[in-house]
Amino acid sequence: MHARIHITLKNGVLDPQGEAVHHALGSLGFEGLSNVRQGKVIDMDIAGDDPDAARASVEAMCQQLLANTVIESYQIELTE
Amino acid sequence: MHARIHITLKNGVLDPQGEAVHHALGSLGFEGLSNVRQGKVIDMDIAGDDPDAARASVEAMCQQLLANTVIESYQIELTE
């Protein structure tokens, strides 16, 4: 199975990377932007065919390593 | 409109971050993983209601600033 995990800063947490991107885009003439936020995406292939087991495993990965759950939230998408 | 942009390394480009994540997950006992790749996700709100104009604008942002198109590819998702 293929898993795609989005890890993004929670709302209200300052995002200096997003601010920098917003500012740089403004310098290039892109206007009308707001709420520019940058996060991480992690893709992986997981052996096995059981979506429930795969989701539980990815949840554990996020909790233990991939996300800092104090300031980040994560979303998991599984595809065949 | 809301835009979500995924920026990922092209296939074949070495991904040390993905390797590090893969290795760290292995150390924690997560097995059966392959093709672990890490990329960026950028979210933003764009003023206006024209999806074609928004897409063209985001394409230009990716080409000019957000992605290094020599080694990275990008995907754009627009939602209302």
Side-chain angles (χ1 to χ4, degrees):
Chain A
M1 307 207 60
H2 181 80
R4 169 162 271 193
I5 306 152
H6 290 107
I7 300 164
T8 49
L9 287 167
K10 290 181 177 174
N11 285 335
V13 177
L14 197 66
D15 179 2
Q17 282 187 303
E19 295 277 314
V21 168
H22 191 171
H23 185 258
L25 288 171
S27 305
L28 289 172
F30 293 103
E31 290 175 357
L33 306 180
S34 55
N35 297 323
V36 181
R37 308 279 285 173
Q38 180 167 336
K40 287 181 287 190
V41 59
I42 297 173
D43 290 289
M44 62 179 68
D45 292 326
I46 305 176
D49 294 328
D50 180 349
D52 293 337
R55 183 171 292 275
S57 175
V58 176
E59 279 273 348
M61 290 177 207
C62 289
Q63 292 284 342
Q64 290 177 42
L65 180 78
L66 301 178
N68 175 351
T69 55
V70 176
I71 56 169
E72 293 173 324
S73 56
Y74 56 87
Q75 298 167 279
I76 298 167
E77 288 168 28
L78 287 174
T79 49
E80 287 299 320
Chain B
M1 307 208 59
H2 182 80
R4 168 162 272 193
I5 305 152
H6 290 107
I7 299 165
T8 50
L9 287 167
K10 291 181 178 173
N11 285 332
V13 177
L14 197 67
D15 178 2
Q17 283 187 302
E19 296 276 313
V21 168
H22 191 173
H23 184 259
L25 288 171
S27 305
L28 290 171
F30 293 103
E31 290 174 358
L33 306 179
S34 56
N35 297 322
V36 181
R37 309 280 284 176
Q38 180 166 336
K40 288 181 284 190
V41 59
I42 297 173
D43 290 289
M44 63 179 68
D45 293 327
I46 304 176
D49 294 328
D50 180 349
D52 292 337
R55 182 170 293 273
S57 177
V58 176
E59 278 272 348
M61 291 178 206
C62 289
Q63 292 284 342
Q64 290 177 42
L65 180 78
L66 301 179
N68 175 350
T69 55
V70 178
I71 57 169
E72 293 173 326
S73 55
Y74 56 87
Q75 297 166 278
I76 300 166
E77 286 167 30
L78 287 174
T79 48
E80 285 300 319

